[in-house]
Amino acid sequence: MSDLDINDAVLAELRAAADIVEVISDHTRLKKAGRSWKGLCPFHNERTPSFHVDRDKGLYHCFGCGAGGDVIHFVRQADRLEFPDAVEMLAERFGVKIPRRASRGPRDDRREALLAALADAQRFYAANLARRGNKGLAYLESRGVSEDLARRLGMGLALDSWDALQKHLAPAHPEALLQEAGLLQPRSEKPGSYDRFRDRLLFTVRDERGRPVGFSGRALSKEQEPKYLNSPESPVFLKKRLLYGLSDARDAIRRNERVVLVEGHFDHLALIAAGVEETVASQGTALTPEQAERLRRLSPEVIVCYDGDEAGREATRKALGLLLAQGVRVRVTRLPADSDPHDVLTREGAAALTARIEEAPDAVTWLLEDLAPNAEGLPAAEKTARIHKILEPLRQIGDGILRYEEFRKVSRAVGVPLDILWKGEESRRPAPAAAAPAPSPVATTRPPAPLPKLESRLIQALSRGGFDAAIFARLRDDEVVDPRARRLVETFRRQGTTAHPADEQDAALLAAIVLEDAPEPSEASVARLLQQLEAAALDRRGADLQAQIDRAEASGLVGEELARLAQEKQELMRRRSKLPR
């Protein structure tokens, strides 16, 4: 839980400081169009620009897909961040200081200190790799990895020394802290410690905000063991929750609406070199439920690109169960039996590797190809075992109809009646590997339902400024019907023309109204609008009174109550006659 004190004053300062045009221009090209900016929507594919940004109001809206809101909402939607992370990212970018809550404790301070030490270590390692003629660059060259790509991914080099890092960091960071960060290893027989990573090419593992939280080191000498050495678990490095390369891949994931999942760091390098920027790695270990849940939040589709050997195919089958349990579409890349993605890049080239990604079949097709239950001469017992292996990940699908349809595909392919495969399935199916999908941190974009015309014009007038005093002096609560419009009016009453609703759906609706091409309000048009709102409210009240009178007469009611209703209606009609039709 964040210890940031994100209050209304902080949000107001942040929205005033953050240039929404600058932020959105990182994701799509904007051109000035009148008082607003216009471009292609970064949230859906389109050829004609329908995405509008108002720099003065700090709002954006797409008239195609309905995406809209303020700069904080854009960062959340574009980068798939939780609210506090989006606020902190913008605050760092635009120099807004966010106070910490009084409840901040030693644990929070310790995390900040760990992150600072890891960031300094990453800079040290990167500087080592940047020096000419070192072993790390030579190894990367032998693997076909350019220096520019290594620099872009934050790779580094741990020197062949027992204390090079410790000496570099010691003045600023205590030894105990460096041990906790996994940068130093305590000596077993005497006091002190030594550098954990020595003579290794380093991959930097980052959290969702791009901060270094750990490292994975590849040995540069044949006799060095293990071949790969990873940072140990720490308060900031929880390997089961992290996806390598995510902070760099977010924009491509959103743009392509898919994630390509690989196992190791060099597999990740291979796909990035081939131009598949939406790639993340599970870091050489089996996919975890936490990583699968994170992938679901990122994209509706995951393409698994694990190694083609038996171990890679087994890892793929296990990953399929976790991903299908999350309800995402899953495809699997066909790789040769003796190859990983980097091998394919080296032997066949980038175009062939990307073609394999594009042609990846769906999960059921790949399982049938991989396990080949119809292989010629296969004993019945072996065929049965292979069919059960195919069905095992499919049993994790939470949607019963979808699960049934996938079983139907298998039935047709293997020649076994569906009722035999499905029999007892509901009672036998294991519980999903993870909880039912939780809502995404940012709601799916869709055009908000429009407000009634008069109420939409009222919100436009309030947003333009200069008329709020006249409006609030005359506007009655019963003159605004739509609950969303009532909430927006109340927000303007509290915040003025810089109103920013807390509710994201209301924020999207406000953006749609403000960025609609409409005439500038004038004193006369606002007065006329208020008369129309009052007239509409009186018409509604008149219809309601007439319905009450009709019911009273139908039930035989006479006397004071009926007279009161009639008198009230007469007064209402008198007021209505003074207003324009």
Side-chain angles (χ1 to χ4, degrees):
M1 183 177 179
S2 173
D3 67 328
L4 298 175
D5 185 13
I6 303 175
N7 52 51
D8 289 344
V10 167
L11 293 177
E13 182 183 359
L14 180 60
R15 291 184 179 111
D19 185 340
I20 192 170
V21 171
E22 178 185 327
V23 172
I24 294 178
S25 293
D26 292 343
H27 299 268
T28 189
R29 188 176 179 181
L30 298 175
K31 291 184 178 180
K32 194 79 166 68
R35 74 169 192 219
S36 65
W37 297 73
K38 194 174 181 180
L40 295 175
C41 179
F43 301 116
H44 80 287
N45 294 323
E46 62 176 6
R47 295 183 179 180
T48 303
S50 60
F51 188 85
H52 294 250
V53 183
D54 188 314
R55 172 177 262 155
D56 295 334
K57 298 295 182 185
L59 296 171
Y60 70 95
H61 179 71
C62 175
F63 290 93
C65 71
D70 62 19
V71 66
I72 300 171
H73 186 64
F74 179 86
V75 171
R76 292 192 65 203
Q77 196 168 16
D79 295 335
R80 304 296 206 273
L81 293 176
E82 297 290 349
F83 182 79
D85 294 324
V87 170
E88 190 164 12
M89 178 184 290
L90 284 168
E92 290 175 358
R93 177 169 180 172
F94 292 99
V96 175
K97 187 166 182 61
I98 306 178
R100 303 282 177 174
R101 290 194 178 93
S103 58
R104 178 182 173 90
R107 184 177 178 182
D108 300 304
D109 293 333
R110 192 69 171 175
R111 283 179 59 84
E112 293 298 324
L114 289 169
L115 290 169
L118 287 158
D120 285 348
Q122 191 277 327
R123 284 189 284 269
F124 175 73
Y125 291 140
N128 293 339
L129 187 63
R131 295 191 183 97
R132 296 295 170 191
N134 64 72
K135 295 169 67 175
L137 285 179
Y139 180 78
L140 287 173
E141 185 178 357
S142 72
R143 297 292 299 263
V145 179
S146 71
E147 185 177 348
D148 286 343
L149 180 56
R151 186 185 306 111
R152 178 158 71 91
L153 297 178
M155 297 182 67
L157 174 67
L159 302 176
D160 188 5
S161 165
W162 292 94
D163 59 1
L165 178 71
Q166 186 174 14
K167 286 181 177 177
H168 180 77
L169 297 181
H173 305 286
E175 183 178 5
L177 180 78
L178 297 177
Q179 289 182 10
E180 188 177 4
L183 297 170
L184 300 184
Q185 186 75 22
R187 298 183 184 277
S188 56
E189 298 179 355
K190 57 182 179 179
S193 54
Y194 54 88
D195 290 0
R196 178 180 180 84
F197 299 103
R198 303 178 308 283
D199 196 24
R200 289 180 181 270
L201 182 70
L202 293 181
F203 296 87
T204 303
V205 183
R206 302 179 186 273
D207 65 9
E208 292 182 3
R209 290 171 49 195
R211 301 174 299 186
V213 293
F215 301 92
S216 179
R218 205 281 184 196
L220 291 174
S221 58
K222 293 182 179 179
E223 61 275 7
Q224 197 172 11
E225 292 293 339
K227 183 177 179 181
Y228 280 93
L229 179 66
N230 298 317
S231 290
E233 295 279 299
S234 77
V236 297
F237 183 73
L238 298 174
K239 193 174 181 182
K240 67 180 182 179
R241 297 181 182 176
L242 293 167
L243 290 165
Y244 177 77
L246 173 56
S247 59
D248 293 322
R250 259 205 206 91
D251 193 47
I253 291 170
R254 174 193 46 73
R255 188 171 60 249
N256 296 305
E257 295 187 334
R258 71 182 190 186
V259 183
V260 179
L261 176 68
V262 297
E263 286 184 275
H265 303 92
F266 271 102
D267 301 330
H268 175 268
L269 264 176
L271 266 71
I272 298 298
V276 186
E277 298 280 347
E278 63 272 24
T279 303
V280 300
S282 51
Q283 302 187 83
T285 56
L287 187 72
T288 67
E290 292 85 356
Q291 289 171 330
E293 193 274 339
R294 187 72 190 99
L295 288 167
R296 176 191 62 77
R297 288 180 175 270
L298 288 168
S299 173
E301 181 178 77
V302 177
I303 301 176
V304 181
C305 188
Y306 282 3
D307 293 359
D309 58 14
E310 176 53 39
R313 298 199 308 276
E314 177 64 26
T316 297
R317 291 192 291 271
K318 291 179 179 178
L320 288 180
L322 292 173
L323 293 169
L324 291 171
Q326 291 292 335
V328 298
R329 297 190 304 273
V330 188
R331 295 195 283 144
V332 183
T333 308
R334 298 182 178 105
L335 292 185
D338 62 341
S339 301
D340 60 28
H342 197 273
D343 295 329
V344 174
L345 177 68
T346 303
R347 297 172 190 168
E348 303 178 17
L353 179 57
T354 56
R356 288 180 180 273
I357 297 292
E358 298 301 330
E359 296 164 3
D362 64 82
V364 172
T365 300
W366 182 84
L367 286 166
L368 289 165
E369 291 177 0
D370 176 54
L371 292 165
N374 294 329
E376 188 175 350
L378 202 64
E382 177 62 20
K383 177 173 181 173
T384 300
R386 293 188 184 190
I387 291 173
H388 281 300
K389 263 192 168 182
I390 292 170
L391 297 179
E392 187 176 342
L394 303 183
R395 289 192 173 103
Q396 303 297 328
I397 299 173
D399 185 297
I401 296 175
L402 178 58
R403 189 168 67 254
Y404 185 85
E405 287 302 312
E406 299 293 61
F407 269 62
R408 188 197 297 274
K409 292 180 188 176
V410 176
S411 169
R412 288 197 296 264
V414 302
V416 177
L418 178 60
D419 59 345
I420 293 177
L421 297 182
W422 189 256
K423 186 177 181 181
E425 184 57 33
E426 289 305 306
S427 61
R428 185 168 57 245
R429 190 175 73 90
S440 173
V442 179
T444 303
T445 58
R446 58 186 176 195
L451 292 178
K453 186 176 180 179
L454 291 177
E455 297 177 17
S456 180
R457 287 171 53 200
L458 174 66
I459 301 304
Q460 285 175 343
L462 286 169
S463 70
R464 301 294 163 84
F467 305 103
D468 50 336
I471 290 173
F472 291 130
R474 181 168 171 179
L475 188 68
R476 290 163 46 111
D477 290 343
D478 64 345
E479 293 173 1
V480 181
V481 178
D482 192 296
R484 298 169 300 162
R486 288 182 176 180
R487 290 195 298 270
L488 290 178
V489 168
E490 186 55 35
T491 302
F492 277 105
R493 196 191 301 273
R494 293 195 316 269
Q495 300 180 8
T497 55
T498 58
H500 286 277
D503 181 85
E504 290 171 353
Q505 296 300 322
D506 288 349
L509 177 62
L510 176 61
I513 294 170
V514 170
L515 290 168
E516 184 181 349
D517 188 13
E520 286 290 329
S522 64
E523 187 175 343
S525 68
V526 170
R528 192 160 52 248
L529 171 62
L530 291 170
Q531 285 184 335
Q532 291 170 321
L533 285 166
E534 182 182 2
L538 291 174
D539 287 342
R540 289 191 298 271
R541 178 58 181 157
D544 180 58
L545 282 171
Q546 186 58 53
Q548 292 183 54
I549 290 171
D550 292 344
R551 287 196 298 270
E553 291 177 341
S555 62
L557 179 66
V558 294
E560 292 183 3
E561 179 61 19
L562 187 58
R564 183 190 66 77
L565 291 172
Q567 183 179 0
E568 185 176 349
K569 185 184 178 185
Q570 185 177 12
E571 173 60 23
L572 186 145
M573 291 174 65
R574 185 187 64 77
R575 290 171 53 197
R576 179 65 180 88
S577 66
K578 296 180 180 180
L579 297 172
R581 289 286 175 186

